[in-house]
């Protein structure tokens, strides 16, 4: 009896756990504020450009849909107005991402079994310190909101397994807000519904009953989704059947895109090691995740069905459909947001095993935290790019009212330069020349946008022109670009120096660097 009472007391949330949880939330807020201090990068500037062109904030929800359409974020940026500090546009993401930490802790303890304090603190700590959540929780885009509403929709779906009559309406509410945060939430909601079906099936042992319950849960959200699709089609038709797409600088083929995207997400969550090991990282992540889900199912954890749908079946569908088409880990955040909950449930189960298992589990969690601390440190050093310093290199001592610059990625470069000119030199005119026009136009400056710092040549040659490297401005992490600033030093006709037979030309935007 005494042992039983002690075990129950061990599993209760006590004041010390509340204090620790509050400290974790405060740490999460501090990290996200620090992550928001850098400059805006391309996609944030694109969102800002869209927001400032709107006549009213509500236009974000019914028109001007694009490849970068994150309506809640766009509406926020419109309300903030032009020429604000970057962190102002990121406040919405910071707040919602910080709430996600508390929401994850609240969600993971409500229906789980085992050591409740361990589940609470593990889930919250991972959401706080894992680099992907810090990065996208401090970026003026829709990912932070999408992840919050995905967690809350998960909680509503779990409530539905207990026959809570309000659950389907909360599931619809959070799904709708997720829909207006990022279109990736549609797939998350579909697999949440599937997870719910897998969770209720053992109760009835009939697929028809599980399907009926799943349809009952999802019907309100499905109705909202249909209305949204009709609005989207109307806007699509009004714009001549064209969706604005910014293009990409990274090329990949078929299912290798999925491997590289998942590899980026995993690599940057365990210290950001070389991309050459992406396949190994993906393999280990898949084995550990599938193994964890299978083990939770074997021990009777009621969330195993949800985890199987969200963390196994959802990525599998991406792989089968050869998605995403660009190797960016952010496209898989709709699945990854549930990984801390999975780990929290596994850690809670293992915390009730023997001493050696508990020690090894604790060491594993501490190593994961340390690796992510290193990743966050790297990110905070460079932010999403150092464009203002590059701009300063080109404009210091500038006497002309026109700055002439060539680049290998005109779309990205021109949007960032427009923002820099507006903020720092509104009287300056910048003429930008694409890679193909550099030899003919002979601009004084050349900026590489898509070349990693370690692959930047000391000299580039275009026709008779020779450019030498002046400065490197790297970024680290998921978002941004590394700029190499080059200055024209001579033409072969005027040069006193001999020609350089091995002098490379400016790389094509889609050149792969390994």
């Amino acid at each position: 009896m005494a042992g039983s009472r002690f075990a129950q007391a061990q599993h209760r949330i006590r004041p010390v756990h509340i204090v620790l949880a509050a400290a974790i939330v405060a740490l999460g807020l501090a990290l996200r504020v620090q992550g928001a201090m850098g400059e805006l990068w391309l996609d944030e500037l694109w969102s800002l450009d869209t927001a400032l062109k709107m006549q009213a904030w509500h236009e974000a929800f019914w028109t001007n849909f694009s490849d970068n359409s994150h309506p809640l974020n766009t509406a926020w940026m419109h309300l903030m107005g032009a020429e604000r500090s970057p962190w102002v546009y990121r406040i919405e993401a910071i707040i919602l991402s910080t709430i996600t930490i508390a929401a994850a802790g609240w969600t993971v303890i409500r229906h789980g079994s085992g050591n409740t304090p361990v589940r609470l603190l593990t889930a919250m700590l991972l959401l706080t310190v894992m680099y992907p959540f810090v990065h996208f929780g401090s970026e003026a885009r829709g990912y932070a909101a999408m992840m919050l509403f995905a967690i809350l929709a998960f909680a509503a779906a779990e409530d539905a397994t207990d026959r809570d009559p309000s659950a389907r309406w909360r599931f619809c509410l959070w799904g709708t807000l997720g829909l207006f945060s990022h279109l990736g939430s549609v797939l998350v909601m579909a697999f949440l519904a599937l997870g719910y079906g897998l969770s209720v099936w053992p109760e009835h042992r009939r697929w028809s009953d599980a399907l009926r319950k799943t349809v009952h849960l999802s019907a309100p959200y499905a109705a909202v989704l249909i209305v949204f699709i009709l609005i989207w089609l109307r806007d699509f038709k009004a714009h001549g059947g064209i969706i604005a797409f910014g293009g990409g600088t990274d090329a990949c083929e078929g299912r290798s895109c999925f491997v590289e995207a998942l590899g980026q997400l995993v690599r940057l969550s365990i210290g950001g090691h070389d991309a050459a090991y992406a396949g190994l990282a993906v393999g280990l992540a898949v084995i550990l995740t599938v193994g964890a889900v299978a083990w939770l199912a074997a021990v009777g954890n009621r969330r195993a069905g949800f985890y199987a749908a969200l963390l196994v079946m959802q990525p599998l569908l991406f792989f089968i459909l050869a998605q995403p088409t660009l190797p960016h880990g952010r496209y898989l955040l709709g699945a990854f947001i549930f990984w801390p909950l999975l780990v929290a449930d596994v850690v809670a189960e293992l915390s009730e095993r023997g001493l050696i298992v508990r020690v090894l589990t604790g060491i594993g969690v501490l190593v994961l935290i340390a690796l992510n601390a290193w990743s966050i440190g790297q990110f905070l050093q460079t932010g999403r790019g150092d464009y203002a310093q590059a701009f300063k290199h080109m404009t210091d001592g500038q006497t002309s009212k026109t700055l002439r610059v060539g680049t290998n990625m005109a779309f990205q470069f021109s949007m960032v330069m427009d923002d820099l000119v507006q903020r720092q030199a509104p009287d300056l005119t910048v003429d930008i020349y694409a890679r193909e026009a550099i030899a003919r136009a002979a601009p004084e400056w050349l900026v590489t946008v898509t070349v990693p710092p370690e692959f930047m040549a000391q000299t580039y040659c275009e026709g008779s022109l020779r450019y030498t490297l002046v400065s490197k401005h790297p970024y680290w992490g998921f978002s941004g670009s590394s700029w190499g600033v080059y200055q024209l030093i001579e033409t072969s006709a005027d040069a006193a120096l001999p020609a350089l037979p091995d002098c490379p030309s400016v790389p094509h935007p889609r050149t792969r660097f390994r």
Side-chain angles (χ1 to χ4, degrees), residues 390 446-449 451 456 469-473 482-486:
L446 166 68
V447 176
T448 59
V449 174
V451 182
M456 291 177 184
L469 182 64
V470 174
S471 59
K472 297 181 181 181
H473 305 272
S482 295
W483 282 14
V485 178
Y486 292 77

Side-chain angles (χ1 to χ4, degrees), residues 121-382:
L121 298 176
T122 301
M124 294 182 68
L125 190 58
L126 292 180
L127 260 295
T128 292
V129 303
M130 288 193 72
Y131 165 63
F133 305 124
V134 174
H135 182 108
F136 292 104
S138 59
E139 185 166 290
R141 304 188 73 204
Y143 294 106
M146 179 190 74
M147 289 188 284
L148 170 61
F149 299 129
I151 291 289
L152 294 174
F154 181 97
E158 272 205 298
D159 288 344
T161 63
D162 288 337
R163 298 182 175 85
D164 183 340
S166 69
R168 67 196 299 243
W169 302 110
R170 285 184 283 117
F171 187 77
C172 175
L173 172 63
W174 304 130
T176 301
L177 290 173
L179 181 63
F180 287 117
S181 301
H182 190 283
L183 290 179
S185 70
V186 175
L187 198 60
V188 176
M189 295 298 290
F191 279 92
L192 273 172
L194 176 59
Y196 170 77
L198 294 174
S199 297
V200 299
W201 176 76
E203 179 183 345
H204 303 281
R205 294 293 175 178
R206 293 177 57 184
W207 288 112
S208 58
D209 289 339
L211 178 61
R212 177 178 53 79
K213 283 177 159 291
T214 302
V215 170
H216 179 76
L217 170 70
S218 307
Y221 172 73
V224 171
L225 182 59
I226 290 171
V227 172
F228 178 85
I229 291 172
L230 293 175
I231 294 172
W232 183 87
L233 289 173
R234 174 182 172 275
D235 184 69
F236 180 68
K237 184 178 179 180
H239 287 85
I242 297 174
I243 300 176
F245 177 66
T249 59
D250 294 309
C252 54
E253 296 181 2
R255 292 180 177 86
S256 69
C257 285
F258 171 82
V259 174
E260 290 189 46
L262 182 56
Q264 184 193 51
L265 196 57
V266 174
R267 286 187 304 103
L268 295 180
S269 299
I270 54 174
H273 57 77
D274 192 272
Y277 299 99
L280 177 61
V282 169
L284 289 174
V286 169
I287 291 170
L288 291 174
T289 300
V290 173
V293 172
W295 183 69
L296 287 179
V299 299
N301 188 291
R302 61 179 291 171
R303 293 198 180 103
F306 283 105
Y307 293 142
L310 293 163
L311 291 168
V312 179
M313 298 179 187
Q314 185 179 183
L316 181 61
L317 180 65
F318 271 92
F319 179 75
I320 292 171
L321 298 179
Q323 294 294 317
T325 56
L326 294 172
H328 301 314
R330 60 180 178 265
Y331 297 122
L332 302 175
L333 284 173
F336 192 69
I337 183 60
F338 299 103
W339 196 78
L341 275 63
L342 170 69
V343 174
D345 272 328
V346 169
V347 170
E349 294 283 354
L350 293 176
S351 70
E352 307 210 352
R353 300 303 195 266
L355 176 62
I356 294 177
V357 172
R358 295 200 303 270
V359 169
L360 291 176
T361 301
I363 291 173
V365 172
L366 290 176
V367 169
L368 182 61
I369 291 171
L371 291 172
N372 277 275
W374 189 89
S375 293
I376 291 171
Q378 293 294 109
F379 165 62
L380 294 180
Q381 285 180 26
T382 65

